[in-house]
Amino acid sequence: MASSSLSSPFLQPHHPLSTKSSNRSNPPSFLRPIKASISEKPSVPVPPLSLAAHQPPKLPLRKIPGDYGIPLIGPYKDRLDYFYNQGRDEYFKSRIQKYQSTVFRANMPPGPFIAPNPNVVVLLDGKSFPILFDVTKVEKKDLFTGTYMPSTELTGGYRVLSYLDPSEPRHGQLKRLMFFLLKSRRDHVIPEFHSSYTHLFDTLENELATKGKANFGDANDQAAFNFLARSLYGSNPSDTKLGLDGPKLVQKWVLFQLSPILILGLPKLIEDSIFHSFRLPPFLVKADYQRLYDFFYDSSGFVLDEAERLGVSREEACHNLLFATCFNSFGGMKIFFPNVMKWIGRAGVKLHTQLAEEIRTVVRSNGGKVTMAAMEEMALMKSVVYEAFRIDPPVPLQYGRAKRDLVIESHDNAFQVKEGELLFGFQPFATKDSKIFERAEEFVGDRFMGEGEKLLKHVLWSNGPETESPTVGNKQCAGKDFVTLVSRLLVVELFLRYDSFEIQVGKSPLGSSITLTSLKRASF
């Protein structure tokens, strides 16, 4: 979803320190002090860290190492290495060592027969990576999923916002629409999150009591979908024809878009020959998508009215709202919330106690209410969320096509890129760059406290640096501040209710699978 340069779109609804639902009659508080999510004017893009940006001292110019291999065979071999023979991280690490460079040429999946041209220039350090955000130098058209683009039959026949370059007129219209949605529903975010995630924790406690463990993922999926529907559209899915089916319909629909670049856990021969070599036919998910579309069309009348005012048809707007809510926002919560639980859970009781003490102290000093202003006082909580974004960004792959001949710098060399070449960055390597972050591979909860805040410009999870805001003129996530807000709310709700928790971590196609084995209720 979206953001920009005005003050924050979120007013400050609140709820008591207790775990009971908030009083909806309380008036909204003042605007939150953190930077905003709404803008009608594009801002000037931040210049990339390129050779032209700072001439002295000049780095040695080096030819980009690596090659693409024999057509069809080279991309196919690289795909097998990426998914099976080496795995994603080792695929990149081995080539860094081989070429002694964090910039090199390689093929990115899926390759044949889905992506006709899988050739990319790989950027794997925190200095070269930011050029992918500079829309004066790279084009982002149809590159949301990388070297291939899913069929528009999966999005009603429209190229939705995520696939549009800022130079396209529709981009500005649709991004303004997302800003409007966020601003219009700002009062509902905190109370609806409290309501939805109180139910989630009740569910997890009951499952723990009966089974001795609880699956966080399934409960989180339902809570996240309900929260988004209620907070952004004022509609409770269980009161509609959609019922409780929303999360499973979204997951099936997303599978049809992302299966070429996912590991699904199937036998290698089946998975690679079917899901990585051919597109799944959209008609198989058409009926499921129609159910989602009908729900959003019926729930978003006030946004569709605004769309028509902006010059966008109600139909096109609804497909974009569905994508932004289900793919971007729900997908983000589905991937990132388990990551937050993983890293905080692994950090142990000491960090849990520090978070519980800070969060409860601040909430009590603010009259027992969770507000945007109160959360701004929680320095450790904010740092923990930023650190989770740094070490495990929810969207790890970024792409951009060079608009002209460019010179790109890593820490050690400069490289010439030709107009039209596709640049690819693997975000977790850029945000774990040891030349920027100390103990880069470790989760350090207080990393961004005090002087550490200066490092936030290197936290890049949102298709832009953390220190910048989304505008109609850039490709930074329209809901950047919204995602940050709900991620903070998860940590706040968790430690208002519990002193500590224990987990088991597994893998899933979209990230981590979290099983809770213990929840210790608040004792102070």
Side-chain angles (χ1 to χ4, degrees):
M1 315 223 18
S3 113
S4 173
S5 61
L6 302 183
S7 41
S8 166
F10 300 109
L11 291 180
Q12 300 178 50
H14 51 262
H15 69 74
L17 178 58
S18 73
T19 57
K20 295 180 180 179
S21 298
S22 60
N23 185 344
R24 304 294 174 85
S25 65
N26 289 327
S29 182
F30 53 89
L31 289 171
R32 66 166 172 154
I34 69 174
K35 63 182 179 296
S37 288
I38 312 297
S39 174
E40 296 297 326
K41 298 179 181 179
S43 63
V44 178
V46 180
L49 295 171
S50 66
L51 191 63
H54 54 289
Q55 287 290 343
K58 287 188 176 181
L59 292 172
L61 191 65
R62 179 182 176 187
K63 180 182 177 182
I64 301 173
D67 62 71
Y68 303 122
I70 301 171
L72 293 180
I73 295 175
Y76 178 67
K77 180 181 180 300
D78 281 355
R79 184 172 80 199
L80 293 181
D81 285 346
Y82 181 91
F83 285 124
Y84 309 108
N85 300 337
Q86 294 178 301
R88 185 174 63 181
D89 285 15
E90 186 58 33
Y91 178 83
F92 296 123
K93 287 179 181 177
S94 65
R95 284 155 180 77
I96 290 175
Q97 293 180 349
K98 178 180 179 180
Y99 303 126
Q100 291 298 294
S101 176
T102 52
V103 177
F104 54 84
R105 298 186 183 279
N107 296 294
M108 278 298 292
F113 299 97
I114 295 175
N117 185 1
N119 305 161
V120 300
V121 176
V122 182
L123 313 177
L124 295 180
D125 62 82
K127 191 175 182 183
S128 62
F129 191 94
I131 199 169
L132 293 165
F133 308 142
D134 188 345
V135 294
T136 68
K137 292 182 171 64
V138 300
E139 182 184 69
K140 309 288 275 188
K141 183 178 180 180
D142 296 339
L143 296 177
F144 181 63
T145 48
T147 59
Y148 78 102
M149 180 181 170
S151 170
T152 56
E153 291 182 47
L154 294 165
T155 50
Y158 294 96
R159 291 171 58 238
V160 293
L161 178 60
S162 291
Y163 292 95
L164 301 179
D165 186 77
S167 63
E168 300 179 77
R170 204 48 129 203
H171 179 275
Q173 294 170 303
L174 291 170
K175 206 163 186 183
R176 285 189 178 94
L177 184 66
M178 301 308 159
F179 293 149
F180 170 82
L181 171 63
L182 290 169
K183 184 176 180 180
S184 299
R185 298 294 299 177
R186 59 195 176 191
D187 296 353
H188 303 274
V189 174
I190 293 178
E192 291 294 358
F193 190 93
H194 173 69
S195 174
S196 296
Y197 277 78
T198 294
H199 185 265
L200 171 139
F201 290 129
D202 288 342
T203 300
L204 293 175
E205 286 182 18
N206 290 336
E207 191 173 343
L208 263 172
T210 56
K211 299 180 181 178
K213 59 183 180 180
N215 184 304
F216 178 79
D218 292 342
N220 177 60
D221 289 350
Q222 194 66 60
F225 189 86
N226 290 343
F227 157 70
L228 291 167
R230 294 169 185 168
S231 64
L232 296 179
Y233 302 99
S235 181
N236 185 13
S238 62
D239 295 336
T240 71
K241 294 179 181 178
L242 192 62
L244 300 177
D245 294 341
K248 70 178 183 182
L249 297 179
V250 172
Q251 290 175 69
K252 184 177 177 182
W253 170 66
V254 169
L255 174 66
F256 274 63
Q257 297 173 73
L258 295 185
S259 61
I261 54 174
L262 295 179
I263 286 286
L264 303 174
L266 300 172
K268 172 182 171 180
L269 182 62
I270 295 174
E271 185 170 85
D272 194 69
S273 61
I274 296 176
F275 293 96
H276 297 159
S277 299
F278 303 98
R279 296 172 184 265
L280 297 176
F283 76 86
L284 293 177
V285 77
K286 184 176 181 179
D288 296 327
Y289 183 77
Q290 187 65 45
R291 290 186 64 194
L292 290 169
Y293 179 87
D294 291 344
F295 171 77
F296 281 94
Y297 195 90
D298 293 341
S299 302
S300 59
F302 72 103
V303 195
L304 302 182
D305 292 341
E306 176 67 10
E308 288 187 315
R309 191 188 70 79
L310 291 170
V312 181
S313 73
R314 298 176 81 86
E315 180 183 4
E316 182 176 2
C318 188
H319 287 295
N320 274 274
L321 292 172
L322 191 164
F323 193 93
T325 307
C326 295
F327 196 111
N328 299 137
S329 299
F330 173 81
M333 294 173 75
K334 177 180 178 60
I335 295 170
F336 189 61
F337 279 18
N339 289 348
V340 172
M341 297 292 290
K342 174 180 71 176
W343 291 109
I344 296 178
R346 285 176 170 175
V349 174
K350 181 179 178 181
L351 178 63
H352 298 178
T353 302
Q354 292 171 335
L355 284 167
E357 289 176 345
E358 177 187 74
I359 290 166
R360 294 172 199 175
T361 298
V362 170
V363 171
R364 289 187 182 111
S365 69
N366 281 270
K369 300 169 185 176
V370 174
T371 65
M372 292 301 311
M375 286 191 287
E376 281 299 304
E377 299 175 33
M378 302 175 188
L380 178 60
M381 180 277 292
K382 292 192 297 178
S383 177
V384 162
V385 171
Y386 286 137
E387 178 70 342
F389 278 123
R390 180 196 73 85
I391 201 167
D392 221 345
V395 182
L397 314 180
Q398 293 289 345
Y399 291 85
R401 192 174 300 281
K403 287 185 173 181
R404 58 179 184 271
D405 291 355
L406 300 170
V407 175
I408 299 174
E409 283 188 349
S410 68
H411 292 293
D412 304 312
N413 295 103
F415 303 90
Q416 290 183 325
V417 173
K418 297 295 184 181
E419 178 183 351
E421 289 198 273
L422 187 59
L423 309 179
F424 159 77
F426 185 55
Q427 204 153 252
F429 277 34
T431 54
K432 289 185 284 190
D433 187 334
S434 61
K435 293 187 178 181
I436 294 174
F437 295 102
E438 295 181 4
R439 298 158 60 193
E441 298 288 338
E442 297 180 37
F443 181 85
V444 181
D446 60 358
R447 185 186 298 277
F448 298 105
M449 293 177 67
E451 285 294 305
E453 285 191 66
K454 294 178 181 178
L455 291 169
L456 286 174
K457 65 184 179 182
H458 301 294
V459 177
L460 310 172
W461 67 273
S462 61
N463 206 1
E466 182 58 40
T467 49
E468 298 297 320
S469 293
T471 70
V472 294
N474 66 24
K475 281 300 289 182
Q476 193 161 28
C477 173
K480 168 179 174 275
D481 289 346
F482 178 81
V483 175
T484 301
L485 169 61
V486 297
S487 300
R488 291 176 177 181
L489 285 171
L490 174 67
V491 180
V492 169
E493 293 287 350
L494 183 63
F495 287 103
L496 285 177
R497 184 165 177 138
Y498 304 107
D499 286 345
S500 187
F501 63 97
E502 295 178 353
I503 59 171
Q504 294 174 345
V505 180
K507 292 183 179 181
S508 77
L510 292 175
S512 299
S513 172
I514 302 298
T515 300
L516 286 155
T517 56
S518 171
L519 286 168
K520 183 181 178 183
R521 288 300 295 258
S523 61
F524 61 90

